[in-house]
Amino acid sequence: MTREQAREKAKALVAQMTIEEAASQLRFDAPAIPRLGIPEYNWWSEGLHGVARAGTATVFPQAIGLGATFDKELLKEIGSTIATEARAKYNESVKHGDRDIYKGLTYWSPNLNLFRDPRWGRGHETYGEDPELISRLGVNFIEGLQGDSDHMKIAACAKHFAVHSGPEAERHHFDAKTNLQEMWRTYLPAFEAAVKEADVESVMGAYNRTNGEPCCGHSYLMQDVLRGKWAFKGHFVSDCWAVLDFHEHHKVTKTIEESAALALEKGCDLNCGCTYQHIMDAYDYGQIPEEHIRRAAVNLFTTRYRLGLSEETEFDSIDYKVVECKEHLALASRAAKESFVLLKNDGILPLKKEKLSTIGVIGPNADSRAALMGNYHGTSSRYITILEGIQDYVGDDVRVLYSLGCHLSADREEPLAKKDDRISEALTVAEHSDVVILCLGLDETLEGEEGDQGNAYFSGDKDDLLFPESQRHLLNALMETGKPIVLCVMAGSAMNLNDASEGCNGIFQVWYPGARGGADFAEILFGDVSPSGKLPITIYRDLEGCPDFTDYSMENRTYRFLKKAPLYPFGYGLTYGKTCVDSVEFCEPVSWDSLPKEVSVAITGHNDSNIDLEDVLQVYLHVEGTEDEVVNPRLVAFERIQLLAGDKFRLTIKIPYKAFETVDENGERSKKGTQAQLYFGFGQPDARTSELLGTKGKELTIS
C-alpha cells in the first residue's frame, strides 16, 4: 500500500471520528474506538539491537558495536531480522488479546544522534561519531526494518531530532546551542539521509531545546527543515514526557494545555507521555484548532494503514518459531565477530590452545551478563559470558582459572571486607596462569540514560574517561606481575587506555557484544576468525583542549576536528594479517571545475598474509582552499571486503558529488575551494594510524 493510498483511507476514517475520538488517538497508549472497529494500540516499542522489553528475542551487539562493523549490508539484514521477530511476536500477542506496551509494530529505533563527546552516557546507542558512517548504517537499518513489501514490515523511527547528545542530567531543561554550519555538517546529515533516502516512517524529537526552542515544538527543525526542505511525510513523536518539560522545565509555556497546543501546532503528532490527555481542555479553551487534531490523527492512521493493522498482511503467517532461530543467532554471531576491534597486539594473539596449560580469566565483566547487553535490550534464552565462552572453547584441554578481581565500581565486593578484597585472589590466578584475559569496563548501570519512568535504574553520563578506581587498582596490580595480559574492554564509549596500552600485550574493544558474545569472542581470541572491527569513535589520550561537556562546539571533538594525535584513531583496527592498497585511479578523467554526479575510483590491493581475513577499505576526503572544510580529512565512503590468504582484490568505489561540498556559516551546502585530496586505505590518513598499522594508503588529487 502506497503512502498516498494509506493517507486517503486515514482521512476517510478520521472524518468519521468525533473530535474527542480523534484527540484520544494522539496518545502513545491510544484507546479503542469500538464503534469504528478500531482496537487499542500502544505505539511504544523498542528495537535498537533486537526486539526489546517484550520478552525473548535475538539480542544483537549494542548499536555502537554494530557501528564498529562498518558493514552496511549487515545492518540491513539485522534490521530485517528484528522486524521478522517483531511481526512474529506481534502476531501471537494480538492472538492472545495482548496489546500492551512494547508489543506493537512502531519501533522507536534507530538512534541517529552523533556521539560528539565520550562522556555522554547514551553514546553506545549510536553508530559513532561520524555523519557518513551513521548515515550509511542508519539508512540500511531503517530499510531492513521497514522492508520493501506491499505493507511496511514495521515502522522505524529516527531519533532524537536534533542536536542531542547530553548531558543526561540536564536534558529536561538544557538548551543545546550550535550554529547553522555545525547543525548542517554534523548534527543533521544522518536524519536527512533517513528521511530522503530511507523514507523513515517517523521521527522522534529530543528532550532538550536547540537554540532556544524545545525540540518537540521547534519551528525551524520541525517545520522549516523536516516538513519543509526534506518534505517528510510520516509522523512525528515526542520523546517520553518531553512535552511536559515545556512548562515544567524549559519554561516556554505556562500550562500543560499551552504545552500541548505548542507541540501540536509545530507538528508533533504523537505524544509519549501524559500531556496530550489535556488536548480537549486546550481545544475547549480555544488554544488548539480542530484542524491540528485531525491532521495529526490522519498522519498516525496513515502509518497504521501502511502497517496493515486493520487488514490481512503478508506478514501474518510469520511463525513464532523464527524468534531466536538458528539463522538469527548465526547473524548475531556474525555481527559480534565483525564488531570486535583489536587495538594492540604485540604478537601474543591469536592464542594457541595447544601451547597453553592454564588461562586466567579475571575482571568484573568476565562473567557478567549485564556487560553483554548494553541497554534497550531484549531477553535471551541463553547467555554466554566471556568466561563461559573461553571455558566452552578450550574444554578439558586447558585449565581455566577465574577471579572477579574487583567490584565493577565499588571499592570492595563484600560489604564487611577491606578495600580491594578480591585483588589477592586475582594475583593468585595470574601467577598460576600462562596468560591472563582481563575483562574491564562498564555496563548500563554506569553509562546509559538518565533514570526516568521507562528506565528504572539511574546511570547517565561519565565524569571522565577513567575506569572505576577499583578496576584501575586491579589493572595496575596485574600489570606488575609481568604475566602476559590481553585486556578485553567491555564498554560503549572511549575509556582511558594510556596505562593499558603500555602494560598489556593485547587489547580488544569488545563493546557490549550481545547475549552470546562470549562464544564469539573466544573464536576471535583463538584465531578461528580474524578480527575486523574498526573504531566508530576516537579513543582519546585525554580530554585536554576539549570544550566543556555542555558546550556543543566541535572544537577538538571527534576525529574530524581533533588537533592532537589520539591514542587510537577513528577507523582504526588491526587484523591478524595485513591488507594493502596497491593502486588507485579514476575510472574516467575528472577535474574540480566539472565534477560528475559520482566520481568512480578503481582500487586494487592484496592480503599480504597467509590467513583469510576481512577488512574495511575507507575513503577520506579533504577540500583545499576553503575555510568551510572541517579540520581533518573526513570519511566519504567505505566498503567491507573479504580476502583469502594472499588474495588480491579490485573494486570500484563511487563517491557522490555531495561529498565534495562543504557547509558555510549559513548552513548552505555548495562546492567551494580549489581542489580535493582523496585518501584510500584501511584507516585514516593520519600519522598515528600509519604508525599503528605499519602501512600507508594511497592518494589522489582532483585539481
Side-chain angles (χ1 to χ4, degrees):
M1 181 183 300
T2 66
R3 189 186 297 278
E4 290 71 25
Q5 291 170 327
R7 181 167 292 277
E8 289 306 310
K9 294 182 73 171
K11 286 180 179 177
L13 181 64
V14 172
Q16 299 176 56
M17 297 179 187
T18 66
I19 189 63
E20 292 85 359
E21 288 171 335
S24 74
Q25 298 302 296
L26 311 190
R27 296 161 37 183
F28 79 95
D29 52 348
I33 306 178
R35 74 177 188 86
L36 295 176
I38 299 172
E40 65 175 299
Y41 183 72
N42 197 299
W43 290 80
W44 188 346
S45 291
E46 302 284 358
L48 185 62
H49 54 118
V51 176
R53 299 178 177 177
T56 304
T58 303
V59 181
F60 293 90
Q62 173 62 305
I64 194 69
L66 299 180
T69 69
F70 278 63
D71 192 333
K72 293 166 282 191
E73 290 74 20
L74 174 68
L75 267 288
K76 190 167 187 176
E77 242 184 290
I78 290 174
S80 180
T81 298
I82 292 171
T84 296
E85 295 198 1
R87 277 283 179 174
K89 294 174 75 68
Y90 173 80
N91 292 344
E92 293 299 322
S93 295
V94 170
K95 189 184 299 181
H96 291 88
D98 184 358
R99 298 180 181 273
D100 200 5
I101 191 171
Y102 309 132
K103 297 173 184 175
L105 294 175
T106 41
Y107 275 68
W108 293 346
S109 298
N111 184 335
L112 296 183
N113 294 131
L114 184 132
F115 199 171
R116 71 178 174 99
D117 190 296
R119 290 166 285 194
W120 186 32
R122 298 188 73 178
H124 58 105
E125 297 178 29
T126 78
Y127 298 130
E129 68 179 37
D130 177 73
E132 178 66 13
L133 178 65
I134 300 169
S135 298
R136 294 307 104 217
L137 298 185
V139 163
N140 278 271
F141 187 71
I142 291 165
E143 289 178 345
L145 290 176
Q146 297 190 165
D148 56 3
S149 299
D150 186 37
H151 295 93
M152 275 194 305
K153 205 171 184 183
I154 65 176
C157 177
K159 67 182 187 185
H160 308 86
F161 189 67
V163 193
H164 173 76
S165 56
E168 285 298 301
E170 300 177 38
R171 65 185 186 177
H172 297 287
H173 59 83
F174 182 71
D175 187 9
K177 296 179 180 178
T178 188
N179 57 48
L180 287 173
Q181 183 179 55
E182 222 50 81
M183 185 178 288
W184 281 94
R185 70 181 180 185
T186 295
Y187 297 112
L188 294 185
F191 290 97
E192 182 174 9
V195 171
K196 295 168 71 172
E197 297 178 43
D199 191 25
V200 70
E201 183 64 17
S202 69
V203 171
M204 175 182 283
Y207 282 110
N208 55 277
R209 280 170 288 150
T210 291
N211 296 337
E213 288 189 88
C215 290
C216 293
H218 205 289
S219 303
Y220 181 72
L221 290 173
M222 296 169 66
Q223 296 179 321
D224 297 351
V225 175
L226 188 63
R227 298 285 187 188
K229 288 186 178 182
W230 298 346
F232 174 63
K233 302 300 183 185
H235 71 267
F236 191 99
V237 55
S238 74
D239 208 337
C240 297
W241 284 265
V243 179
L244 199 67
D245 291 337
F246 287 11
H247 59 279
E248 288 195 347
H249 302 294
H250 292 307
K251 305 299 183 183
V252 297
T253 55
K254 295 180 180 179
T255 66
I256 196 167
E257 293 83 10
E258 287 182 18
S259 296
L262 175 61
L264 204 55
E265 176 194 348
K266 301 301 180 183
C268 183
D269 304 303
L270 182 68
N271 176 221
C272 180
C274 58
T275 311
Y276 277 16
Q277 294 176 14
H278 297 266
I279 279 181
M280 287 309 299
D281 291 334
Y283 173 76
D284 291 339
Y285 298 155
Q287 296 171 308
I288 296 178
E290 180 174 344
E291 174 194 350
H292 289 178
I293 296 172
R294 294 197 180 275
R295 178 191 64 196
V298 168
N299 287 341
L300 295 176
F301 275 93
T302 299
T303 298
R304 290 171 73 160
Y305 276 119
R306 293 194 74 199
L307 288 166
L309 295 187
S310 59
E311 58 196 17
E312 290 186 7
T313 75
E314 58 271 44
F315 307 117
D316 295 349
S317 60
I318 294 178
D319 193 282
Y320 183 77
K321 292 176 184 175
V322 302
V323 175
E324 267 200 330
C325 66
K326 181 180 178 181
E327 293 78 12
H328 293 182
L329 293 174
L331 185 62
S333 175
R334 172 188 158 196
K337 290 168 189 169
E338 290 188 15
S339 73
F340 302 143
V341 184
L342 179 57
L343 300 176
K344 179 182 178 181
N345 182 14
D346 69 355
I348 192 174
L349 297 167
L351 298 182
K352 302 297 182 184
K353 185 170 69 170
E354 60 274 12
K355 294 184 178 181
L356 300 170
S357 62
T358 308
I359 298 173
V361 181
I362 300 172
N365 276 347
D367 197 32
S368 167
R369 287 185 174 186
L372 298 173
M373 306 303 287
N375 63 359
Y376 284 89
H377 56 76
T379 301
S380 179
S381 63
R382 186 184 179 197
Y383 297 85
I384 303 176
T385 64
I386 299 294
L387 172 64
E388 292 167 334
I390 292 172
Q391 288 171 329
D392 292 345
Y393 187 93
V394 302
D396 295 330
D397 298 332
V398 180
R399 179 68 192 277
V400 178
L401 301 177
Y402 166 67
S403 173
L404 180 71
C406 67
H407 188 277
L408 184 68
S409 58
D411 63 4
R412 68 204 74 195
E413 176 64 20
E414 297 294 336
L416 299 180
K418 295 180 180 179
K419 289 177 62 175
D420 298 330
D421 59 327
R422 288 290 188 267
I423 284 187
S424 63
E425 180 189 55
L427 294 174
T428 300
V429 167
E431 290 161 359
H432 287 78
S433 300
D434 300 318
V435 62
V436 170
I437 311 301
L438 177 59
C439 301
L440 303 181
L442 310 172
D443 64 23
E444 68 174 346
T445 65
L446 296 181
E447 64 170 349
E449 187 173 2
E450 181 231 10
D452 59 19
Q453 290 94 328
N455 176 27
Y457 64 88
F458 183 87
S459 51
D461 305 314
K462 299 187 301 186
D463 293 328
D464 50 45
L465 306 187
L466 298 174
F467 289 99
E469 187 176 22
S470 58
Q471 297 187 42
R472 301 201 300 273
H473 289 176
L474 175 63
L475 172 63
N476 291 332
L478 289 173
M479 289 193 298
E480 289 176 4
T481 67
K483 286 285 184 175
I485 298 173
V486 176
L487 176 62
C488 170
V489 183
M490 304 182 77
S493 55
M495 305 298 294
N496 186 319
L497 296 177
N498 293 312
D499 291 341
S501 68
E502 296 294 328
C504 294
N505 303 82
I507 303 176
F508 277 103
Q509 184 80 29
V510 179
W511 318 106
Y512 301 124
R516 308 183 188 197
D520 305 309
F521 179 70
E523 290 189 38
I524 295 280
L525 186 67
F526 288 96
D528 288 3
V529 181
S530 175
S532 59
K534 301 293 181 180
L535 284 176
I537 56 173
T538 299
I539 295 185
Y540 304 84
R541 294 182 184 274
D542 52 55
L543 290 175
E544 184 180 351
C546 183
D548 184 82
F549 185 34
T550 58
D551 185 344
Y552 267 64
S553 163
M554 294 303 295
E555 180 81 11
N556 268 323
R557 280 195 172 108
T558 77
Y559 81 95
R560 294 183 306 145
F561 298 92
L562 199 60
K563 295 178 181 176
K564 60 181 182 180
L567 184 62
Y568 297 114
F570 171 91
Y572 163 73
L574 297 169
T575 68
Y576 288 150
K578 186 177 181 181
T579 42
C580 303
V581 175
D582 296 327
S583 69
V584 293
E585 60 180 4
F586 295 116
C587 295
E588 54 190 26
V590 294
S591 69
W592 181 247
D593 292 333
S594 56
L595 284 177
K597 289 183 179 180
E598 290 181 326
V599 174
S600 297
V601 181
I603 305 160
T604 65
H606 69 284
N607 176 1
D608 191 19
S609 56
N610 59 0
I611 65 167
D612 301 343
L613 53 78
E614 293 187 26
D615 212 332
V616 179
L617 181 75
Q618 301 164 48
V619 182
Y620 292 83
L621 181 152
H622 199 261
V623 176
E624 311 292 342
T626 174
E627 294 181 353
D628 294 337
E629 181 60 285
V630 298
V631 176
N632 300 312
R634 49 188 164 84
L635 184 72
V636 293
F638 56 93
E639 203 67 48
R640 176 173 277 270
I641 57 175
Q642 298 178 334
L643 291 170
L644 299 176
D647 201 6
K648 296 180 179 180
F649 72 87
R650 178 182 177 88
L651 60 87
T652 299
I653 282 189
K654 296 182 178 181
I655 305 164
Y657 181 92
K658 185 176 180 180
F660 296 90
E661 297 177 327
T662 55
V663 180
D664 66 20
E665 61 184 8
N666 297 314
E668 297 296 329
R669 182 180 295 276
S670 63
K671 184 169 73 70
K672 292 183 179 179
T674 55
Q675 64 178 27
Q677 199 74 19
L678 289 162
Y679 306 85
F680 305 82
F682 293 95
Q684 280 188 69
D686 64 307
R688 179 59 175 159
T689 298
S690 298
E691 175 190 352
L692 290 166
L693 292 180
T695 183
K696 286 187 176 183
K698 300 292 183 180
E699 299 183 17
L700 285 175
T701 302
I702 300 178
S703 60

